[in-house]
Amino acid sequence: MDTASTYDDPAPVRGHAIHASRALATEAVHAGRDDLARQGLHVPAIDLSTTYPSYDSRAEAARIDAFATDGADPSGPPVYGRLGNPTVARFETALARLEGTEAAVAFASGMAALSAVLLARAATGLRHVVAVRPLYGCSDHLLTAGLLGTEVTWTDPAGITDALRPDTGLVLVESPANPTLAELDLRAVAHACGTVPLLADNTFATPVLQRPAELGARLVLHSATKYLGGHGDVLGGVVACDEEFAGQLRKIRFATGGVLHPLAGYLLLRGLSTLPIRVRAASATAAELAHRLTADPRVARVHYPRLGGAMIAFEVCDDPHEVVSRVRLITPAVSLGSVDTLIQHPASISHRVVPEDDRHGAGVSDRLLRLSVGLEDVEDLWSDLDQALELL
């Protein structure tokens, strides 16, 4: 996707005005903030209230009844923190604009967001999920263990249509995938799903590189902890979707309590303003590092998506644990998408909960390392990788 191109805004989200055509970089800065100047503000306030006064209990009851019916945001002033928060709503508005969807619903973490989707489908009797590996390890575990009463059928993209059943409520994919960066043709996958909703985890690509809703996905999942926040200091998750499904998710969020804290909503909204420039800069560095790693005899294989991005996976010829132990500038840590570069060994950490045979079958080898490239200078990062690989 050309990040400098313009695009049409989706339908109004949470009452904010439509802008007919704005570049992604402009939208990242202004979405969710369009009303600030009229209020005499330059940055949004952080609303930390858990509850809000109301002197008309009859009207309050009617608003709560309306929410219970379709999950739409209550009109008028806020009611209670579990029903919604104005600061979090700004982030939801902005993310929906960037993904090109009608709405977005934020949660306390990416796993809370995925859990809400699964619960929403199960509530309608559709407990079967079709999924394509690899996925993030905890997503894989949640499905495989059936912790939410779901049943999963694992398949490759070509087998999606045959795997569908009358009780299939969801098809789940991740592209580029964690941690191998395998890419799927999302348009073809969406076609194979028929009327079953496709959920695409877009955490690695972000809307800067890919907008799955334009390719047929009904639901777009982000671990907002990663690139959307971008600084390693906030946990969050979000699902971008149509308003009908958003209503279902809001009801699940209200009932289960997996709400995003207002301070986290503020930090995520702030993170979105620099998302395009961060992703583009880190992606340029990652492409150069992938090129150098590909030519390095100490590296057996490099995985880098055609889509680009700031993630690299590479398999070393010798012991990957030694590489992790020897980095000095790069941080050996889980997670990704921060301004600093992180490295980890998926088979030991992020995908440890996936059974070994399933892990290997999905291409997650024991010698695979995952590198989340940050904003450091490419020569400094290469110097650190070079010395970490030196004795292999």
Side-chain angles (χ1 to χ4, degrees):
M1 174 179 176
D2 181 0
T3 57
S5 65
T6 58
Y7 57 89
D8 291 337
D9 266 350
V13 182
R14 297 180 182 270
H16 287 276
I18 294 179
H19 295 272
S21 183
R22 298 203 298 201
L24 180 68
T26 303
E27 197 70 277
V29 172
H30 290 280
R33 307 167 181 86
D34 295 314
D35 63 327
L36 293 180
R38 294 191 298 275
Q39 297 183 46
L41 299 173
H42 185 228
V43 297
I46 305 174
D47 188 331
L48 295 173
S49 296
T50 58
T51 192
Y52 300 84
S54 173
Y55 293 95
D56 189 343
S57 57
R58 292 184 182 87
E60 201 80 331
R63 291 204 296 156
I64 292 173
D65 286 347
F67 175 83
T69 300
D70 58 13
D73 279 329
S75 59
V79 178
Y80 182 60
R82 210 157 22 90
L83 271 167
N85 171 272
T87 306
V88 172
R90 290 184 180 278
F91 164 65
E92 293 172 327
T93 295
L95 193 277
R97 294 264 186 88
L98 293 181
E99 283 291 3
T101 58
E102 291 179 340
V105 184
F107 295 86
S109 69
M111 290 308 300
L114 175 58
S115 295
V117 173
L118 296 174
L119 289 171
R121 300 309 283 158
T124 64
L126 302 174
R127 297 181 177 275
H128 180 241
V129 177
V130 174
V132 177
R133 282 187 170 121
L135 296 174
Y136 168 53
C138 287
S139 300
D140 189 308
H141 176 66
L142 182 66
L143 294 175
T144 301
L147 297 176
L148 298 178
T150 56
E151 177 188 351
V152 63
T153 296
W154 296 101
T155 185
D156 58 30
I160 289 174
T161 300
D162 290 341
L164 300 178
R165 306 187 327 204
D167 64 338
T168 302
L170 190 71
V171 175
L172 174 58
V173 301
E174 183 176 2
S175 180
N178 187 351
T180 66
L181 303 174
E183 294 175 271
L184 300 177
D185 181 342
L186 291 180
R187 194 180 300 278
V189 169
H191 179 74
C193 293
T195 59
V196 176
L198 170 63
L199 185 153
D201 189 327
N202 203 34
T203 298
F204 276 20
T206 80
V208 177
L209 301 177
Q210 172 178 269
R211 301 213 298 175
E214 293 180 344
L215 303 174
R218 185 177 180 189
L219 306 161
V220 182
L221 173 70
H222 286 272
S223 172
T225 307
K226 312 307 194 294
Y227 288 104
L228 303 189
H231 292 75
D233 56 5
V234 58
L235 285 173
V238 64
V239 179
C241 57
D242 57 74
E243 178 57 35
E244 179 185 0
F245 207 103
Q248 299 174 41
L249 293 178
R250 292 186 197 108
K251 289 194 287 185
I252 294 292
R253 183 177 63 182
F254 174 72
T256 60
V259 296
L260 184 70
H261 191 275
L263 179 58
Y266 173 86
L267 291 172
L268 290 172
L269 180 64
R270 186 176 70 169
L272 289 184
S273 64
T274 60
L275 178 66
I277 195 167
R278 284 189 287 106
V279 169
R280 287 196 291 266
S283 297
T285 300
E288 175 61 23
L289 292 176
H291 174 72
R292 297 187 189 188
L293 288 167
T294 299
D296 196 305
R298 298 165 295 184
V299 176
R301 186 180 182 189
V302 175
H303 307 258
Y304 188 68
R306 293 184 300 275
L307 188 69
M311 299 298 300
I312 305 170
F314 61 99
E315 300 171 42
V316 295
C317 296
D318 210 327
D319 187 351
H321 301 283
E322 288 299 315
V323 178
V324 172
S325 71
R326 287 173 57 83
V327 294
R328 294 296 177 263
L329 175 65
I330 297 167
T331 302
V334 298
S335 199
L336 56 105
S338 185
V339 291
D340 60 320
T341 300
L342 309 177
I343 193 170
Q344 66 112 343
H345 181 239
S348 296
I349 305 179
S350 63
H351 289 70
R352 189 68 178 176
V353 293
V354 180
E356 184 177 12
D357 288 346
D358 294 332
R359 196 165 63 230
H360 290 168
V364 185
S365 79
D366 291 337
R367 297 191 185 277
L368 184 76
L369 293 170
R370 192 189 73 187
L371 187 72
S372 171
V373 179
L375 299 181
E376 302 94 338
D377 185 86
V378 65
E379 297 301 338
D380 290 329
L381 290 173
W382 177 249
S383 177
D384 196 31
L385 284 172
D386 184 46
Q387 65 83 25
L389 290 164
E390 187 174 347
L391 298 181
L392 296 185

